[in-house]
Amino acid sequence: PRPVHLIGRGPEGGSLERLARGLDVPLTISANVSANELVQAYRTASVVVCPSSFEGMGLTPIEAAACGARVVASDIPPHREFLEDRVEFFSPRDDATLIAAIRRAEGLPPRPGPFADITIGAAATRIYEALMPLLGR
């Protein structure tokens, strides 16, 4: 089995450690990593997986893709809006599509994309344009 490195912490940490032990998968969980350590993790990962079922923006897959990582992200609106064709998508809570997306990503060269369009000003413009029709303007 391939080693798995989880960065962050959450309520599922203990159950993920037990699952990994039961499957004999080498697992490392790191919390409180520095910015440099995070960039290094993105750059050395064979695939960065972002399985969120809800995000406001989805900063992790954006950062990983900007670092040139192969990224697999759940197919949720914020990931689609900001990542477009820069990552491989999978259906949340569907292991088969996750596995297929990882396999697709592994076969691709790293593809860092330009992210000049992800700025505070660009986000404000998108929000403004979405709200104006709702406000009757």
Side-chain angles (χ1 to χ4, degrees), residues 71-85:
V71 179
V72 170
S74 51
D75 194 353
I76 58 175
H79 289 169
R80 281 277 176 197
E81 178 181 354
F82 292 104
L83 296 162
E84 299 169 344
D85 64 349

